[in-house]
Amino acid sequence: MRRTTFARRLLPVLAALPLIACGDRSSSTDNAAAADTAAPAAGPLAKNGKHYLSQPLVTDFYTADPSAHVFDGKLYIYPSHDIDGPAKEDDLGGHFEMRDYRVLSMDAPGGKVTAHPVALDVKDVPWAEKQMWAPDAAYKDGTYYLYFPAKDRQGAFRIGVATSKSPVGPFKANPQPIKGSFSIDPAVFTDDDGKSYMYFGGIWGGQLQRNTTGTYDPNGSKTDLGADDKPALTAKVAPLAADMTEFAAKPRDVVILDEKGKPLLGGDHDRRFFEASWMHKYKGKYYFSYSTGDTHYLAYAIGDSPFGPFTYKGRILQPVEGWTTHHSIVEWQGKWWLFYADTQLSGQTRLRNVKMTELKYNADGTIQTIDPFVK
């Protein structure tokens, strides 16, 4: 759909939502409804006739894949920046043509959201050609690190790193991607002892199935290994070196087990890993969460080590409006929060908007499944 058609469709939606000003300067909005899960959200109904549980955090540009972090008590969200590009939709994500990043920040849940200027553009990354997909961030010793996937000039996804003295950038990219990196969706977790780990990977357009030998195979499978009765391809995890810019060891598999202690199989599309790794820690346990992709769930598994193995426990989020689901989980101001995205504003898979809602645990440490809609 071209921009003129999109604009006509978006106007009635925007009329019911809080706006932020756009431009090169930082912009902000009050968005109390975004964090309110106690009552049906205001605004238009979803295609299924229900209300959305939460409202978009920003509405004047498109954001997805929100990675949230708390630095000095303030919340920062590092999303991808969707654009309305010309590529046709395909199963390998060619229509996700993102080319830069903008950071969002908040001082309090439900309060003002500030959208900061461009933090990093693909034209300023020496090794990258296109498709700046879902990023993440970390902080250590006065430096903020932005981790991002992008395709190099051979069409292979690699993971890069950029640094800044400010959590909102601008960030300066290292001249080369992280040695030994591949695929997409970097997520960096720093444990209580100060050690940091990167989780990454995705099948289909994420290319995990084209990197099974350690070398990118441009002619590899388009989806997965095509072996439904064998252990599924899964995310990778690698410890980060002290300088936070390289792997300290070779990446290893993030093994997800079923209730019988067996690895999830490739044919188990409701539970197996597809993309969107995230790691958080709750009451001494490690929670590895991820998207199941073509079945549209956010799922999680629990382990006793940042390396796993992890035992599948259930779903965090039921399917949203739109094909993709990518998230983060963070504790902030005494509560836990889930950040995710849907297509409320546009109705198009390629043009998404980030949201947040409270996440709750049961007494046994399992997570209460969230429905992104309310009646």
Side-chain angles (χ1 to χ4, degrees), residues 58-332:
V58 294
T59 58
D60 72 323
F61 62 101
Y62 293 106
T63 52
D65 314 320
S67 292
H69 292 273
V70 178
F71 298 130
D72 291 328
K74 189 170 183 175
L75 183 83
Y76 295 89
I77 304 170
Y78 299 84
S80 52
H81 177 196
D82 284 348
I83 63 171
D84 189 11
K88 294 182 179 180
E89 187 169 333
D90 61 44
D91 287 340
L92 300 185
H95 49 295
F96 295 117
E97 301 176 79
M98 301 87 93
R99 56 176 178 249
D100 62 21
Y101 299 111
R102 293 181 66 180
V103 183
L104 310 179
S105 64
M106 300 175 67
D107 290 318
K112 179 184 294 185
V113 179
T114 299
H116 298 272
V118 171
L120 181 67
D121 191 291
V122 69
K123 65 181 175 58
D124 297 318
V125 181
W127 60 269
E129 181 182 22
K130 60 182 179 180
Q131 291 183 291
M132 303 270 276
W133 284 10
D136 194 21
Y139 171 81
K140 183 178 181 181
D141 297 337
T143 298
Y144 295 89
Y145 297 85
L146 181 68
Y147 302 93
F148 59 93
K151 281 184 178 176
D152 63 19
R153 287 167 179 79
Q154 285 70 52
F157 269 113
R158 307 293 181 192
I159 297 173
V161 59
T163 57
S164 175
K165 292 301 181 182
S166 167
V168 301
F171 288 85
K172 180 176 176 57
N174 283 7
Q176 297 295 331
I178 296 174
K179 185 178 180 180
S181 70
F182 53 92
S183 197
I184 61 170
D185 294 354
V188 173
F189 166 75
T190 299
D191 208 346
D192 300 332
D193 60 4
K195 295 180 180 178
S196 295
Y197 306 83
M198 180 183 288
Y199 301 81
F200 64 94
I203 58 175
W204 293 31
Q207 301 180 346
L208 266 182
Q209 73 281 356
R210 295 184 174 183
N211 283 280
T212 57
T213 65
T215 301
Y216 175 68
D217 177 7
N219 299 313
S221 170
K222 288 185 177 181
T223 55
D224 53 30
L225 294 180
D228 287 356
D229 59 345
K230 297 290 194 293
L233 279 171
T234 190
K236 305 294 183 179
V237 56
L240 288 175
D243 69 358
M244 300 290 284
T245 65
E246 296 290 348
F247 295 152
K250 185 178 179 180
R252 64 174 81 174
D253 283 348
V254 176
V255 177
I256 306 172
L257 306 174
D258 64 16
E259 63 280 1
K260 298 179 180 179
K262 301 294 184 181
L264 295 182
L265 301 180
D268 190 353
H269 288 216
D270 281 350
R271 299 191 295 176
R272 62 91 173 92
F273 173 82
F274 188 100
E275 62 186 3
S277 299
W278 188 259
M279 172 62 66
H280 76 279
K281 197 172 183 179
Y282 177 74
K283 293 187 175 181
K285 296 290 187 179
Y286 297 86
Y287 287 65
F288 177 73
S289 51
Y290 56 96
S291 171
T292 63
D294 55 339
T295 49
H296 319 297
Y297 301 118
L298 285 182
Y300 73 104
I302 300 177
D304 296 316
S305 160
F307 289 114
F310 302 93
T311 300
Y312 178 87
K313 291 297 181 180
R315 297 172 187 167
I316 298 170
L317 185 69
Q318 298 285 46
V320 299
E321 189 172 80
W323 201 93
T324 61
T325 307
H326 190 127
H327 70 298
S328 59
I329 297 169
V330 68
E331 186 178 19
W332 185 38

